[in-house]
Amino acid sequence: MKVTYIGHSGFLMEWENCVWLFDYYRGEIPYVSPEKKVLVFVSHSHGDHFNPQIFERFADYPQVEYILASEVRHKVKRCGLSEKESGRVTFLKPHQSWQTKDGCGEDIRLYTCHSTDCGVAFLAEYQGKKIYHAGDLNWWVWKGESKQEYNNMTASYQREIGLLKEKAGQIDVAFAPLDPRQEEWYRLGMDYFLGQIDVQTVFPMHFWGDYSVITRYQEEQPQYASRVIPLSREGYEVVM
């Protein structure tokens, strides 16, 4: 497979018989053959994760499916999709299982986690690999919050990662937030995620163009450094 970083939390995964696009916000989407099965994932409705242009970009693709968090439904209604286009859209709630097929009829199994912000995270199983895109599922801690807010967030995040661990076991490729806006708490979520789950490779995301936070994380947490992809620009590609 090949993974291309598009920007922010957006990634393109190219397999032999299908292509997956996660949380496109802005940036250049690499060329995708119209002959390919295309799955477009949207974890939630925030503007930095959902861009209605995804419907225009793949309008002429005969094998496109859109897998969206159910809370994106209200925004999709404003897009004026045709009946045919609407028939390609599936809305998923948290803790829901669903499956589809690639371009050759092989199963792609999905499970959604409950985000600690909005929407869902995606866990996909395909060709013996498990792929996880967190969306905004993270241990969000901000300066000025109350102890109660911190405790609620901590409980919610740890509970959801516990459920993910039970469901996934090992994860081959993960896309997870590493947000420098959280200041001294920027790595809470990543640390806990990598400490709890056997993850082979993780692509940091949601770092708002501050690539230095990736290097900082690798230096501060050398035990995880080899698992973390050192993204340095939009369009960065990794063949796996």
Side-chain angles (χ1 to χ4, degrees):
M1 77 183 81
K2 182 170 76 173
V3 178
T4 303
Y5 175 59
I6 298 174
H8 198 54
S9 298
F11 293 86
L12 189 78
M13 294 193 74
E14 300 178 66
W15 307 76
E16 182 179 358
N17 297 316
C18 58
V19 176
W20 303 357
L21 176 65
F22 288 100
D23 278 14
Y24 176 71
Y25 161 39
R26 64 184 181 190
E28 183 177 349
I29 300 174
Y31 172 77
V32 176
S33 170
E35 297 179 4
K36 289 266 192 176
K37 174 68 174 283
V38 179
L39 299 183
V40 181
F41 296 86
V42 178
S43 66
H44 62 290
S45 62
H46 287 170
D48 60 324
H49 291 259
F50 170 61
N51 187 332
Q53 290 179 6
I54 56 175
F55 299 115
E56 299 175 18
R57 174 66 176 78
F58 298 105
D60 297 327
Y61 282 61
Q63 297 186 81
V64 64
E65 289 186 60
Y66 301 91
I67 300 99
L68 281 59
S70 58
E71 61 98 31
V72 186
R73 190 186 300 268
H74 69 287
K75 285 196 171 181
V76 173
K77 286 182 178 179
R78 304 173 193 165
C79 294
L81 300 184
S82 67
E83 184 176 347
K84 179 180 179 180
E85 290 171 326
S86 297
R88 296 172 169 177
V89 178
T90 296
F91 294 102
L92 297 181
K93 298 178 180 179
H95 301 153
Q96 183 173 350
S97 297
W98 185 76
Q99 72 179 51
T100 186
K101 296 183 181 295
D102 68 5
C104 292
E106 189 170 351
D107 287 340
I108 302 171
R109 295 182 175 86
L110 299 176
Y111 176 76
T112 55
C113 303
H114 199 306
S115 176
T116 45
D117 191 354
C118 291
V120 302
F122 295 105
L123 174 66
E125 185 173 357
Y126 175 58
Q127 293 188 343
K129 302 290 186 181
K130 291 178 182 176
I131 313 300
Y132 170 72
H133 190 284
D136 268 1
L137 173 54
N138 189 32
W139 193 341
W140 298 111
V141 176
W142 306 100
K143 189 170 291 186
E145 287 185 326
S146 68
K147 184 177 180 179
Q148 186 62 53
E149 288 173 317
Y150 173 84
N151 290 340
N152 289 343
M153 172 58 64
T154 298
S156 295
Y157 181 70
Q158 293 185 356
R159 179 174 60 248
E160 206 60 35
I161 294 302
L163 293 173
L164 175 63
K165 182 178 181 178
E166 291 179 9
K167 194 74 177 178
Q170 182 190 55
I171 291 176
D172 296 280
V173 179
F175 307 94
L178 194 66
D179 196 323
R181 300 175 306 161
Q182 291 186 264
E183 301 180 42
E184 61 261 44
W185 302 286
Y186 83 100
R187 62 179 174 86
L188 271 181
M190 184 71 81
D191 280 354
Y192 192 78
F193 174 61
L194 292 177
Q196 290 294 309
I197 300 178
D198 182 6
V199 181
Q200 289 191 355
T201 302
V202 61
F203 288 79
M205 65 180 191
H206 213 277
F207 48 83
W208 301 97
D210 183 2
Y211 295 92
S212 69
V213 76
I214 302 175
T215 303
R216 177 185 172 190
Y217 184 78
Q218 290 178 310
E219 291 174 349
E220 292 182 357
Q221 295 294 80
Q223 70 271 36
Y224 300 138
S226 63
R227 305 193 214 173
V228 177
I229 297 296
L231 297 174
S232 59
R233 58 178 174 81
E234 294 182 0
Y236 192 105
E237 296 180 353
V238 178
V239 178
M240 311 178 73

